[in-house]
Amino acid sequence: MKKIWIFLLAVMLLLAGCAKNVESTPDSATADTATADEATQPPTQPPTQPPTEPPTIDELAQAKYDQILNTELRNNFAIIDNVEPLGQLNGMQAGCEALALTAALSHFGYDLDIDDIVDDYMVYDNNFVIGYCGNPRRFYDGAGIYPPGMVTTVWNFIDENEAELYPFDTTGLSMNELYRFVDAGCPVLIWTTYDRNSPRIEQYKEYEDIKYPWYDTEHCVCLYGYDLEDNEVKIADSWDYGKDEWEDAERFENVYDEIGRFSLVLMDTSKLK
């Protein structure tokens, strides 16, 4: 009998120990503990993105150009300040393009003499589209230069002076579209005639799929204002010792259209960076 009681007591103690072990195990132990494979995996990271390159000045200038071109005029009147024309008949008889550029540059604070552009920055070539053809100082020996050549001339000036400017060949734009650049403070070089009469076209040169006319009254001025209510444009004209005046916008536009809509815009890039 004593052996039986010892045996029963041992069984009871064993059962009590098992019950204690079960009660001390949290119900969540097997549910929340990660497996060995999961525990060894590193945390998931988002894919590494390559560093973004800042936009170039070309991209910034082009974006600004597109923005201006797609913005309607804010009002019926605009004028760009500090544009100073120079006269061409006193030593620069056939240099109207250089003097129109000089007038445009004066707005940006560059005080240039009558000779600076033709002596230091102008490109010359027998093809009047890409370089000045002839002698800009002599009326009968000088011909002229069109927007592609003037863009190169402006870049020569920019590089030499570290100027924060950007030239755009805006050939083909309407006068209404060019007014948007004036509205944004960008002077415009426009190819016209020195008497605003219809041009008598003598020949054409083709360059990059565009036909450029040569006519005996070829002339270039700087447009820097417009008044839609009075139908006038403000120009710096080097003809007749440097006119600085308002003139009839419709007549000016008709000549511009008849020649073929040749123009160049000069943009300030100092605030684009």
Side-chain angles (χ1 to χ4, degrees), residues 217-239:
T217 53
E218 184 267 349
H219 192 45
C220 183
V221 300
C222 176
L223 170 74
Y224 67 102
Y226 66 85
D227 186 337
L228 299 184
E229 291 186 359
D230 290 340
N231 193 34
E232 291 182 327
V233 290
K234 183 78 165 174
I235 61 170
D237 189 346
S238 60
W239 189 252

Side-chain angles (χ1 to χ4, degrees), residues 88-89 93-97 128 132 139-140 142-146 190-203 213-221 237-239 243 247 251-252 254-256 258-260 262:
Q88 74 184 76
L89 298 185
Q93 296 177 357
C96 57
E97 299 93 346
F128 61 81
Y132 191 93
F139 187 76
Y140 292 103
I145 180 173
Y146 268 80
I190 290 187
W191 274 254
T192 180
T193 61
Y194 61 75
D195 54 10
R196 309 295 186 267
N197 289 329
S198 295
R200 186 172 69 250
I201 297 174
E202 300 173 344
Q203 61 172 298
W214 183 255
Y215 51 100
D216 60 346
T217 53
E218 184 267 349
H219 192 45
C220 183
V221 300
D237 189 346
S238 60
W239 189 252
K243 292 184 292 186
E247 64 176 70
R251 182 184 179 191
F252 190 84
N254 288 341
V255 175
Y256 172 71
E258 188 175 354
I259 291 168
F262 298 102

Side-chain angles (χ1 to χ4, degrees), residues 171-173 191 210-211 213 255-263:
T171 292
L173 294 189
W191 274 254
I210 298 176
K211 292 178 67 176
V255 175
Y256 172 71
D257 289 344
E258 188 175 354
I259 291 168
R261 292 185 172 184
F262 298 102
S263 59

Side-chain angles (χ1 to χ4, degrees), residues 93-110:
Q93 296 177 357
C96 57
E97 299 93 346
L99 298 182
L101 175 58
T102 300
L105 290 172
S106 68
H107 163 67
F108 301 104
Y110 294 98

Side-chain angles (χ1 to χ4, degrees), residues 106-123:
S106 68
H107 163 67
F108 301 104
Y110 294 98
D111 184 16
L112 303 178
D113 293 331
I114 192 172
D115 300 305
D116 289 342
I117 296 297
V118 299
D119 285 345
D120 300 331
Y121 311 108
M122 182 76 79
V123 290

Side-chain angles (χ1 to χ4, degrees), residues 1-272:
M1 180 64 71
K2 184 177 180 180
K3 292 181 179 180
I4 294 175
W5 280 108
I6 293 173
F7 175 77
L8 290 175
L9 180 61
V11 171
M12 292 176 64
L13 291 173
L14 179 62
L15 291 174
C18 292
K20 182 178 180 181
N21 288 338
V22 171
E23 291 175 359
S24 65
T25 303
D27 294 338
S28 60
T30 57
D32 293 344
T33 300
T35 65
D37 288 340
E38 291 171 340
T40 60
Q41 297 299 318
T44 303
Q45 298 290 338
T48 302
Q49 298 295 329
T52 303
E53 293 292 335
T56 65
I57 190 62
D58 299 302
E59 294 169 331
L60 292 171
Q62 185 64 55
K64 183 64 175 179
Y65 175 93
D66 295 338
Q67 178 189 4
I68 293 172
L69 188 59
N70 290 287
T71 300
E72 293 298 323
L73 296 179
R74 290 174 292 184
N75 48 54
N76 292 327
F77 177 90
I79 190 166
I80 300 172
D81 59 3
N82 299 324
V83 174
E84 299 294 336
L86 292 172
Q88 74 184 76
L89 298 185
N90 187 17
M92 196 61 63
Q93 296 177 357
C96 57
E97 299 93 346
L99 298 182
L101 175 58
T102 300
L105 290 172
S106 68
H107 163 67
F108 301 104
Y110 294 98
D111 184 16
L112 303 178
D113 293 331
I114 192 172
D115 300 305
D116 289 342
I117 296 297
V118 299
D119 285 345
D120 300 331
Y121 311 108
M122 182 76 79
V123 290
Y124 294 86
D125 198 276
N126 289 330
N127 182 346
F128 61 81
V129 179
I130 60 175
Y132 191 93
C133 184
N135 183 352
R137 289 185 170 86
R138 294 171 59 88
F139 187 76
Y140 292 103
D141 293 337
I145 180 173
Y146 268 80
M150 285 304 291
V151 166
T152 305
T153 298
V154 175
W155 277 118
N156 288 341
F157 178 86
I158 291 171
D159 292 341
E160 181 70 21
N161 296 276
E162 299 182 351
E164 295 182 296
L165 303 172
Y166 207 100
F168 284 96
D169 185 340
T170 45
T171 292
L173 294 189
S174 68
M175 285 299 302
N176 185 266
E177 289 172 318
L178 293 179
Y179 291 158
R180 300 173 192 180
F181 289 93
V182 174
D183 200 29
C186 304
V188 185
L189 271 61
I190 290 187
W191 274 254
T192 180
T193 61
Y194 61 75
D195 54 10
R196 309 295 186 267
N197 289 329
S198 295
R200 186 172 69 250
I201 297 174
E202 300 173 344
Q203 61 172 298
Y204 287 94
K205 282 190 180 294
E206 190 166 329
Y207 178 75
E208 295 187 349
D209 299 325
I210 298 176
K211 292 178 67 176
Y212 293 83
W214 183 255
Y215 51 100
D216 60 346
T217 53
E218 184 267 349
H219 192 45
C220 183
V221 300
C222 176
L223 170 74
Y224 67 102
Y226 66 85
D227 186 337
L228 299 184
E229 291 186 359
D230 290 340
N231 193 34
E232 291 182 327
V233 290
K234 183 78 165 174
I235 61 170
D237 189 346
S238 60
W239 189 252
D240 195 18
Y241 297 97
K243 292 184 292 186
D244 177 24
E245 60 184 21
W246 293 94
E247 64 176 70
D248 185 77
E250 183 176 359
R251 182 184 179 191
F252 190 84
E253 181 175 3
N254 288 341
V255 175
Y256 172 71
D257 289 344
E258 188 175 354
I259 291 168
R261 292 185 172 184
F262 298 102
S263 59
L264 182 157
V265 160
L266 201 56
M267 179 187 297
D268 180 5
T269 60
S270 62
K271 298 179 181 179
L272 297 184

